[in-house]
Amino acid sequence: MTLTVGVLGPVTAWSGGDPLPLGGPRHRELLARLVVARGRVVDVDLLVDALWETPPDGAVAAVRTFVAALRRALEPDRPPRTPPRVLVTEGRGYALRAATDAEAFTAAVERAAGLPPAEALTELTGALGAWRGPAYADVGDRPWALPERTRLTELHSTAVERTGAARLELGRAADAVPDLDAHVTAHPWREEGWRLLALALYRSGRRPDALAVLRRARTRLVDELGLDPGAQLAALEHDVLTQAPALELGPDPWARATASWQRAAGPRARLEATVGLLRSLSRTGAEGLTAAREQRLATIAAAEELGDPLLTARVVGELDVPGVWTTSDDPQQAAAVVAAAERALPAAGADAVRVRLLTTVAVESRGLPGPRGAAAAREAEELARALGDPALLAAALGGRTLQVFDRCGRAADRDALGAELVELAGRHGLTDSLVLGHLVRMQARSALGDLAGAGEHAAALDGLAAAHDRPLVGVFTGGWRALRAAVEGAPDAEERFRAAARLRVGSGMPGVEDGLLALTLACLRVSRGEPVPPAGPGGPYAPWLEPHHRLAAGEPASVAALPDPPPGLLMEALWVLAGSAALAVGDLAVLARAQEALAAAAGELAGAGSGMLTAGPVDDHLAAWAQAAGR
């Protein structure tokens, strides 16, 4: 059972929610002294001094007796002659190894400081609910307890004030009044408490009471401390007198609007609003993208539970997010989304809804086996062109860009799709599709060896990212600049690739991050004809890296069981690794497979279609392999 020691009030302890028999006052004081130490060892002599001003004879033995009794209380089920795990002995002292309500309270208040108002309110009310105060209530005025008691009291006041502020931001001014009123009565020197109470009264329609509170604060500060109110209290009093409009707005209009929406909107309206919010979140950066991905299936499930097939179809289709990387960030979730889209398709009577659902299938099928993704992408494009809706067509073209990988050498086809996206999105002000189009063209022009053209798209992307707050764009343009440096023969290419990889860490795109640095460095070395030692986890690319690692270590290697690379942006690069390893071990069958697959990519830079890495010109590898096989 979970053990917690409590000091936010009288000293106590619980196991599984049930109070434990701790013994008399000395036992509790001893336990409190160990809590104050926060897990550090307290020498037995210090414990004696903590419990008695004038220690009696046998005080050390008494402390040890108290410790033994506390151990029985805290670990009643500990087998005989087994070492204690909660109140442990170290040298001449003792330490407490247990969770405390003071630690949990501190952590909750600290967490709340970085949360939106609604989440902060939940965190703070939970923390304040654990306060049985005052802290260390039954240890008297012991000097060793005073600093920790003062800290916790100050933290409690902060939590009360932040709770009031959160309620104000959420438009719940009347709810904030009772706790704030009690707070200023108990702590009359805290100006923030007076300010929040007056503001809460004003927003509750109690302007005279707000003025009375402010004047009461002034009187107490002047008469008892000889201090005038601070600038914030003085400004608030002026604003209340003049009924300043700013008092009604609140510090966070978004939070107040959200709170009103949650109270007023029905389940369908809230669900459709959630879809828009998740789409926006996915574009705000790593944290937003991760949050959107985490909530996506729950939103779809909520739509299905309402039993409205057309609503479900709209929710699934509108949750699509443009993708540029052909490896899914979460294959399991992607498969579940595809399944939900397929279930919703029969209800999608409107062609527009059907296009959205098919686009979702196309986007989320990237990296999944089978032809369904490509077929869905083609059907979505055909329907969108027939409907003449530019936003639908842009979405469908985005799905197509992730399905043009049935064989190597499709960079020119992908570039054409990107060019249409750029033109269409630019003409109709479709920012997301414009970003996607430039990303696709930056990748495709790189694969075709046109670094100057790719650079123009990279520059356009950086401009769009700055203008429209798209922080994830920098992950791709940063990777592309490292790629360009490598192609141009920069001596520090490896370090530039490592710097680009650091941009991907924590980006919220594990499909882009996982194993890519190891693959990047391997491709760089193969392009230079150098051995390939391990350079970190290979992730999904490990099968193509392992033969090279073994060869670099002088160990036997085999490629006989090596699978064909999956379709995607890295297909050509993986074929280069397969063919190079096959040549090194003399496996002509695998070498022939690599030659046949890469023949269609003649004239391209292997792997550069990713915009992140390259294994060098495909022509160079084909020529070297042909020459070696000829011998």
Side-chain angles (χ1 to χ4, degrees):
M1 304 293 287
T2 301
L3 172 69
T4 302
V5 177
V7 294
L8 301 180
V11 179
T12 186
W14 308 271
S15 181
D18 297 322
L20 299 175
L22 296 181
R26 297 291 188 197
H27 296 81
R28 295 173 188 275
E29 286 186 29
L30 173 59
L31 185 59
R33 179 63 183 85
L34 293 173
V35 172
V36 167
R38 299 189 189 183
R40 296 185 296 273
V41 176
V42 183
D43 188 87
V44 68
D45 291 335
L46 292 177
L47 291 173
V48 168
D49 292 340
L51 298 182
W52 293 280
E53 291 183 9
T54 304
D57 294 338
V60 170
V63 166
R64 289 174 177 156
T65 300
F66 297 154
V67 167
L70 285 170
R71 283 173 171 165
R72 288 192 296 273
L74 297 173
E75 293 186 87
D77 298 326
R78 179 166 59 90
R81 294 181 296 280
T82 59
R85 293 178 299 171
V86 175
L87 207 170
V88 301
T89 302
E90 291 191 21
R92 278 180 45 82
Y94 302 96
L96 183 68
R97 305 283 191 251
T100 70
D101 59 357
E103 292 171 336
F105 181 77
T106 300
V109 176
E110 290 174 351
R111 280 195 304 271
L115 295 175
E119 296 175 38
L121 182 59
T122 300
E123 192 80 56
L124 289 167
T125 51
L128 290 170
W131 185 270
R132 300 170 291 114
Y136 296 91
D138 51 3
V139 301
D141 57 355
R142 297 289 189 184
W144 50 264
L146 183 58
E148 184 66 3
R149 177 185 287 150
T150 300
R151 182 188 74 84
L152 289 168
T153 300
E154 175 68 20
L155 195 64
H156 178 263
S157 294
T158 299
V160 171
E161 289 165 3
R162 288 181 181 172
T163 300
R167 286 180 172 136
L168 283 169
E169 291 180 33
L170 293 169
R172 296 170 53 184
D175 294 343
V177 169
D179 289 344
L180 288 171
D181 199 2
H183 175 60
V184 298
T185 301
H187 304 279
W189 315 130
R190 293 185 69 92
E191 291 194 38
E192 178 64 4
W194 290 107
R195 187 188 72 81
L196 290 168
L197 175 58
L199 188 58
L201 288 166
Y202 184 87
R203 290 189 184 161
S204 301
R206 298 167 61 182
R207 181 172 169 242
D209 290 335
L211 279 172
V213 160
L214 289 167
R215 287 168 182 168
R216 181 155 52 103
R218 176 184 293 276
T219 299
R220 295 210 64 170
L221 290 168
V222 172
D223 291 353
E224 299 182 33
L225 296 180
L227 296 174
D228 288 326
Q232 283 192 312
L233 274 185
L236 180 58
E237 186 172 6
H238 175 269
D239 287 347
V240 170
L241 282 167
T242 60
Q243 295 183 275
L247 293 182
E248 297 292 347
L249 297 176
D252 189 349
W254 164 255
R256 297 189 68 188
T258 302
S260 299
W261 175 256
Q262 288 175 337
R263 291 192 297 269
R268 283 173 169 76
R270 282 159 51 183
L271 191 61
E272 292 183 343
T274 298
V275 172
L277 176 61
L278 293 181
R279 284 175 61 85
S280 298
L281 265 177
S282 67
R283 295 154 173 80
T284 59
E287 185 177 348
L289 180 60
T290 300
R293 190 165 57 246
E294 288 173 350
Q295 298 300 320
R296 189 174 188 184
L297 285 182
T299 304
I300 292 172
E304 291 183 318
E305 285 176 8
L306 289 175
D308 183 337
L310 186 56
L311 173 65
T312 300
R314 289 205 310 273
V315 167
V316 175
E318 291 293 334
L319 270 172
D320 70 288
V321 176
V324 70
W325 197 251
T326 48
T327 303
S328 174
D329 290 321
D330 187 340
Q332 206 169 17
Q333 185 188 88
V337 171
V338 169
E342 297 284 17
R343 288 195 299 272
L345 270 170
D351 284 341
V353 177
R354 186 171 185 81
V355 170
R356 290 287 185 189
L357 288 171
L358 290 167
T359 298
T360 296
V361 173
V363 171
E364 297 302 329
S365 291
R366 66 193 192 276
L368 298 179
R372 175 57 177 153
R378 286 193 297 271
E379 185 181 350
E381 182 184 358
E382 291 171 3
L383 282 173
R385 290 190 188 281
L387 289 170
D389 184 324
L392 285 177
L393 179 56
L397 290 173
R400 284 269 287 134
T401 66
L402 294 171
Q403 295 291 341
V404 188
F405 297 101
D406 55 307
R407 57 177 174 79
C408 294
R410 298 289 306 269
D413 297 328
R414 202 159 182 262
D415 187 49
L417 288 169
E420 184 175 2
L421 259 178
V422 168
E423 190 279 329
L424 180 70
R427 182 155 38 95
H428 294 280
L430 306 171
T431 301
D432 291 332
S433 295
L434 185 60
V435 169
L436 177 60
H438 281 298
L439 281 168
V440 169
R441 294 214 70 193
M442 181 185 76
Q443 294 170 328
R445 297 315 301 173
S446 298
L448 295 170
D450 178 14
L451 294 183
E456 292 176 4
H457 293 290
L461 284 165
D462 287 335
L464 287 168
H468 299 282
D469 195 18
R470 298 291 192 271
L472 294 177
V473 166
V475 173
F476 294 97
T477 57
W480 177 81
R481 289 187 172 86
L483 162 64
R484 180 183 62 185
V487 174
E488 292 174 348
D492 63 343
E494 183 169 318
E495 180 50 41
R496 294 195 189 199
F497 277 132
R498 291 185 184 276
R502 288 192 286 272
L503 296 175
R504 299 191 290 268
V505 175
S507 65
M509 297 184 291
V512 178
E513 181 181 348
D514 189 19
L516 193 62
L517 178 59
L519 177 64
T520 299
L521 298 181
C523 288
L524 179 64
R525 287 180 169 268
V526 166
S527 70
R528 295 172 172 174
E530 299 171 356
V532 182
Y541 316 115
W544 294 272
L545 296 173
E546 184 181 358
H548 288 274
H549 296 164
R550 297 181 68 84
L551 289 167
E555 300 173 358
S558 172
V559 295
L562 198 63
D564 287 356
L569 291 165
L570 299 168
M571 182 163 51
E572 289 89 351
L574 294 175
W575 270 122
V576 166
L577 292 184
S580 301
L583 180 62
V585 302
D587 191 323
L588 297 182
V590 174
L591 181 62
R593 280 164 47 205
Q595 287 175 306
E596 182 180 2
L598 281 172
E604 295 187 9
L605 292 178
S610 65
M612 296 281 196
L613 60 84
T614 182
V618 170
D619 289 351
D620 291 355
H621 294 291
L622 290 175
W625 297 348
Q627 184 179 6
R631 288 205 302 269

